[in-house]
Amino acid sequence: MSMIVRRLSRAATAGLVAAAALTAAAHSAEAADTLGSAAAGQGRYFGTAVAASHLGESDYAATLDREFSSVTPENEMKWDATEPSRGSFTFTSADRIVDHAQSQGMDVRGHTLVWHSQLPSWVSPLGAQDLRTAMNAHINGLMGHYKGEIHSWDVVNEAFQDGGSGARRSSPFQDKLGDGFIEEAFRTARAADPAAKLCYNDYNTDGVNAKSNAVYDMVKDFKSRGVPIDCVGFQSHFNSNSPVPSDYRHNLQRFADLGVDVQITELDIEGSGSAQAADYTKVVEACLAVSRCTGMTVWGVTDKYSWRSGGTPLLFDGDYNEKPAYGAVLSALGGSGGPGDPGDPGDPGDGASCTATYTRTADWSSGYNGQVTITAGAEPISSWTATVTLPAQQSVSSLWNGTPTWSGNVMTVRPSWNGPLAAGASTSFGFTAAKNGSDAAPTVGTCTAS
Ligand code: XIL
């Protein structure tokens, strides 16, 4: 009953949604100096995953509202969050995100309806018939509540196994309902909200491999039999073990050639500096080269809240400074006003830049001394901030010529006395670390100057 009341009240805000969309359109006609407006200039959306719990943090909300044109609730629309016990739907956190997005003229991606993970415990013991009923009721409950408000839904997430086989992944749905559960979910979804694009979403399908071939065959089969599917989502979580594939664009294109849209749905690339920026450029260029690649979503606003925070995989650092990857994405999207450009709204100081390099200056069996050298770019700077990520076991016992703050194993260092630097000049800070069994080197992230 409460669900029906809520559904009516969401529909009643439809006029507000239309007004907000107009604001967004007006905004995108201005200079393309944000990710969302630059992407709009290319006919694409640029989105981010959002957590309801961070919306109250002013820097988080300001960065979100300024830069992005689409949001995906990071966890709030998952089965465990929305139907924790059978038939009783809770939309409070998801509604917060959707309401926030609409008030800012941003679109919303729905994530995700049928997935083996983040499932409440009542689902897996169900018998086949009951599970089928519960799956369809869940799809109807979610899609009914947000009918007309979601541009694309991840109807089924991660249904294929990793590795070389191309087989289906074991899950309550696969094990009890068989291969047909996916098409049943898509048919139910089409009826529930005919306006939403229906997507199949997965990871390690970004290049041509056994897993993406299996998804490809499924989509081809769906298209030939008239099973409703509109898009394929490529999560695109990249790191050194799983780098941006060289055939990424080719893979996106072959899916598009089946007659579906493609979307990059959960992009993050671990790393820092120019190497990370170059990888982001590859991804954006691949999407722009495929006319049916309708948009990209990064999996979070800031490194500090990333599900892979140790890998600093996002476009803004823990202080919401733009990283080199941000500038790379913005310019690949044809925008202007990245770091260093005059008037860039997120820039700490126009023209100010710095680099940070690490060396080990002393080494003994249980510890070492590290030194990070900060060098100003082409203009003088008044201050700098550098991040250093330590291997999990290690701990820092002292630090000199800098002031550290900590978030997990990420140390953010600001100057103690040595902030101002002439153009091209350097200073350094040092620290002593205990190895605690790990001799690995720390990673120096971005240097930000003002
Ligand atoms: C992740 C979230 O980012 C985490 O906060 C949560 O603890 C686990 O799920 N593939 C997906 C996303 O489809 O839903 C996952 O999100 C990341 C991998």
Side-chain angles (χ1 to χ4, degrees), residues 49 73-75 78 111-112 115 117-118 154 157-158 201 203 235 237 266 299 305-308:
E74 186 171 357
N75 290 298
K78 292 173 181 174
H111 176 78
T112 178
W115 187 27
S117 188
Q118 292 177 269
D154 290 330
N157 197 31
E158 302 182 353
N201 192 50
Y203 67 97
Q235 293 186 9
H237 295 293
E266 303 181 17
W299 205 240
Y305 297 140
S306 164
W307 73 312
R308 291 180 169 171

Side-chain angles (χ1 to χ4, degrees), residues 410-423:
V410 181
M411 174 169 82
T412 300
V413 183
R414 295 185 176 79
S416 39
W417 51 272
N418 46 348
L421 292 174

Side-chain angles (χ1 to χ4, degrees), residues 7-152:
R7 195 187 295 179
L8 287 174
S9 73
R10 286 215 69 87
T13 64
L16 216 157
V17 178
L22 283 177
T23 316
H27 181 71
S28 66
E30 292 164 11
D33 56 2
T34 66
L35 301 171
S37 58
Q42 305 286 344
R44 268 80 172 181
Y45 66 85
F46 200 96
T48 180
V50 163
S53 58
H54 301 316
L55 287 173
E57 187 184 324
S58 58
D59 287 349
Y60 182 92
T63 308
L64 167 67
D65 297 350
R66 187 182 70 234
E67 295 290 342
F68 297 96
S69 57
S70 170
V71 304
T72 306
E74 186 171 357
N75 290 298
E76 292 79 351
M77 285 187 181
K78 292 173 181 174
W79 198 319
D80 59 353
T82 50
E83 197 185 359
S85 57
R86 190 169 185 177
S88 120
F89 288 88
T90 57
F91 294 116
T92 319
S93 299
D95 279 353
R96 260 190 87 192
I97 294 176
V98 175
D99 291 345
H100 182 95
Q102 290 175 350
S103 75
Q104 297 295 320
M106 300 185 244
D107 286 330
V108 182
R109 282 196 96 254
H111 176 78
T112 178
L113 297 166
V114 183
W115 187 27
H116 65 277
S117 188
Q118 292 177 269
L119 262 186
S121 57
W122 61 267
V123 178
S124 35
L126 300 179
Q129 267 320 317
D130 217 8
L131 180 64
R132 170 172 289 121
T133 307
M135 179 183 85
N136 289 324
H138 184 71
I139 294 170
N140 285 324
L142 265 282
M143 291 188 78
H145 183 72
Y146 293 111
K147 190 169 181 171
E149 301 183 274
I150 304 283
H151 69 81
S152 308

